[in-house]
């Protein structure tokens, strides 16, 4: 089946390039942070906020701290001090870093007041309950990173925020796994901060700095050129969120006291698999062709949804929208999504800046030998 190539114009600079050496003063902090989001600036903040970040040095955290700084707010970090412990302390003057552990020692949070807390590290309900109860009277607004995986089953057409969460037919005392535990953690936030919380349910998060390679695989593989496996049907939907759009929304939520629960899945309008793949192709000069393979054939060659194809959800029967969530509530609350070309191009630039040994060990995607074997078998049919 022939498909027109979708034209994208790349307009953004690299948003997550490595920070320059040396500590920066307040004006330089704001200028450098703004370079990450210059194409997506909002109206100036009405007041400066003190924002507590639970995490701050993993994937979401550095982008979040830069977004907070870009808006003129003051971040305070709380983390274990293990992953890049001096990332911001050395680069930016005056950033406070509190050291502790969500599982065993949160005493560093025992004093202090903040306008908002952004929790991008809470996993278990026990972690979130302890932190929320400790901060209850000293934080105005609790912003929690959950997941699209909280939903009990993708049985409908397109899922909105009111759909059931957890595990169908299983008492909540027995819920296990990433999504159900996040659903229980959401409940803790809602109970401790009634009317003062925002819960975000993102799909796979992508962008510069992502160590999971789940979406980065596609940017890199298409940039390598040649014949590329395209899974399923060209019309199948696909969703993701650029980490920079996610953190921009978090800061917008804090500034405007936005409350409620939101599916923060992009892009703004539905995106098909064909549009996704051809959109990535538009940012690379490599000659590329796509071979569309059905899910049964892929599985017969040990290429499966949720494993080698972690960014895809195969349709269930006639339900072509299986796994797609409704993002209209987030759009109405002020969330914005940058073009795919920006995400793909910036992530490729970041990837190419990494050491060769890292680029030789991609942690997701279809292994090259299995891809070539499947392509050969498909042609032989």
């Amino acid at each position: 089946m022939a498909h027109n190539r979708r034209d994208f114009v790349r307009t953004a600079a690299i948003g997550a390039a490595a920070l320059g050496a040396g500590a920066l003063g307040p004006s330089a902090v704001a200028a450098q942070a703004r370079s990450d989001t210059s194409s997506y600036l909002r109206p100036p903040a009405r007041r400066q906020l003190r924002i507590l970040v639970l995490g701050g040095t993993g994937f979401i955290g550095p982008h979040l701290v830069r977004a907070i700084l870009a808006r003129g707010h003051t971040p305070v970090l709380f983390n274990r001090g293990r992953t890049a412990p001096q990332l911001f302390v050395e680069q930016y003057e005056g950033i406070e870093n509190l050291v502790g552990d969500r599982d065993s020692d949160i005493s560093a949070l025992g004093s202090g007041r903040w306008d908002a807390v952004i929790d991008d590290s809470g996993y278990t309900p026990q972690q979130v309950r302890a932190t929320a109860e400790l901060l209850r009277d000293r934080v105005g607004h609790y912003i929690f990173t959950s997941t699209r995986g909280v939903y009990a089953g993708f049985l409908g057409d397109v899922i909105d925020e009111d759909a059931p969460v957890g595990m169908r037919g299983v008492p909540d005392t027995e819920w296990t796994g990433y999504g159900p535990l996040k659903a229980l953690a959401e409940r803790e936030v809602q109970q401790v901060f009634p009317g003062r919380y925002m819960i975000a349910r993102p799909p796979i998060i992508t962008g510069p700095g992502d160590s999971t390679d789940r979406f980065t695989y596609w940017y890199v593989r298409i940039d390598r050129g040649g014949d590329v496996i395209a899974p399923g049907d060209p019309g199948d939907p696909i969703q993701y969120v650029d980490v920079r759009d996610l953190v921009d929304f978090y800061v917008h939520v804090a500034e405007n006291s936005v409350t409620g629960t939101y599916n923060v899945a992009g892009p703004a309008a539905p995106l098909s698999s064909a549009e996704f793949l051809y959109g990535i192709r538009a940012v690379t000069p490599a000659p590329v062709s796509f071979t569309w393979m059905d899910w049964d054939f892929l599985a017969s060659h040990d290429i499966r949804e949720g494993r080698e194809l972690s960014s895809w959800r195969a349709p269930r029967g006639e339900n072509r929208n299986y796994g797609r969530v409704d993002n209209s509530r987030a759009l109405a609350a002020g969330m914005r999504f940058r073009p795919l070309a920006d995400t793909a191009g910036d992530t490729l630039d970041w990837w190419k800046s990494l050491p060769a040994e890292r680029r030789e060990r991609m942690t997701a995607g279809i292994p090259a030998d299995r891809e070539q074997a499947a392509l050969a078998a498909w042609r032989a049919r």
Side-chain angles (χ1 to χ4, degrees):
M1 184 181 296
H3 298 275
N4 294 327
R5 177 171 174 170
R6 185 177 181 177
D7 294 327
F8 289 90
V9 179
R10 184 172 173 223
T11 58
I14 300 172
L19 298 175
L24 302 176
S27 60
V29 166
Q32 182 163 350
R34 278 195 299 271
S35 71
D36 284 353
T37 54
S38 58
S39 298
Y40 307 97
L41 289 179
R42 298 179 183 272
R46 294 189 294 271
R47 62 189 180 98
Q48 292 187 339
L49 305 176
R50 276 177 52 82
I51 300 176
L52 175 63
V53 178
L54 302 181
T57 56
F59 172 36
I60 299 175
H63 291 283
L64 176 58
V65 172
R66 282 190 284 269
I68 291 170
L69 292 169
R71 297 291 292 170
H73 306 306
T74 300
V76 176
L77 312 186
F78 174 84
N79 50 62
R80 294 177 298 176
R82 297 177 186 174
T83 305
Q86 300 299 311
L87 176 65
F88 288 104
V89 174
E90 289 181 354
Q91 297 294 333
Y92 297 145
E93 293 177 357
I95 290 188
E96 184 179 2
N97 194 89
L98 307 175
V99 178
D101 191 305
R102 299 290 295 269
D103 290 317
S104 59
D105 182 11
I106 58 174
S107 59
L109 297 175
S111 62
R113 306 187 73 87
W114 297 274
D115 297 288
V117 56
I118 301 176
D119 184 353
D120 67 21
S121 64
Y123 171 46
T124 68
Q126 293 80 12
Q127 290 173 339
V128 174
R129 181 190 313 121
T131 306
E133 289 180 344
L134 185 61
L135 298 173
R136 181 198 307 261
D137 298 323
R138 293 179 291 112
V139 165
H141 196 186
Y142 202 111
I143 299 167
F144 180 63
T145 302
S146 185
T147 173
R148 178 178 64 177
V150 299
Y151 292 111
F154 297 112
L155 300 180
D157 186 26
V158 179
I159 299 170
D160 66 20
E161 292 85 349
D162 298 324
V165 300
M167 301 173 70
R168 290 183 184 276
V170 178
D172 56 11
T173 54
E174 299 177 16
W175 289 359
T176 60
Y178 183 70
L181 287 177
K182 280 282 194 177
L184 292 174
E186 288 184 4
R187 187 184 300 173
E188 299 295 339
V189 174
Q190 294 165 342
Q191 290 175 348
V192 180
F193 281 81
R196 295 188 290 141
Y197 69 83
M198 192 284 283
I199 291 170
R201 294 173 176 168
I204 292 178
I205 304 169
T206 184
D210 177 20
S211 63
T212 72
D213 298 342
R214 290 175 294 179
F215 266 81
T216 304
Y217 165 80
W218 294 102
Y219 314 142
V220 173
R221 176 63 190 89
I222 291 171
D223 185 58
R224 194 166 71 237
D227 194 5
V228 177
I229 287 179
D233 184 88
D236 290 343
I238 194 164
Q239 289 182 307
Y240 63 91
V241 64
D242 188 303
V243 63
R244 297 163 295 178
D245 296 333
L246 180 63
V247 301
D248 170 76
F249 185 54
Y250 283 172
V251 179
H252 169 76
V253 163
E255 290 177 351
N256 295 278
S257 300
V258 176
T259 59
T261 301
Y262 299 90
N263 291 326
V264 289
L271 182 74
S272 71
S273 294
E275 291 172 319
F276 174 71
L277 295 176
Y278 284 111
I280 298 171
R281 194 181 79 168
V283 304
T284 173
V288 178
S289 60
F290 297 109
T291 296
W292 295 91
M293 295 183 184
D294 63 73
W295 291 100
D296 289 340
F297 183 86
L298 289 169
S300 72
H301 286 79
D302 204 26
I303 299 172
R304 301 177 186 278
E305 169 201 7
R307 199 172 66 188
E308 290 77 19
L309 301 172
S310 56
S311 50
W312 255 263
R313 287 189 179 275
R316 298 298 190 269
E318 297 300 317
N319 184 6
R320 288 289 170 185
N321 283 316
Y322 178 79
R324 190 164 76 84
V325 297
D326 179 6
N327 62 8
S328 59
R329 199 177 290 182
L331 289 169
M335 188 162 194
R336 299 175 179 179
F337 299 101
R338 69 193 65 209
L340 170 60
D342 288 8
T343 300
D346 293 350
T347 308
L348 263 176
D349 287 337
W350 162 76
W351 175 261
K352 292 175 180 179
S353 74
L354 297 178
E357 57 268 25
R358 167 66 177 94
R359 288 184 279 115
E360 291 169 358
R361 298 193 314 273
M362 183 156 273
T363 58
I366 308 171
D369 57 344
R370 266 191 274 160
E371 181 186 35
Q372 292 308 309
L375 285 167
W378 184 267
R379 296 188 195 104
R381 292 203 319 174

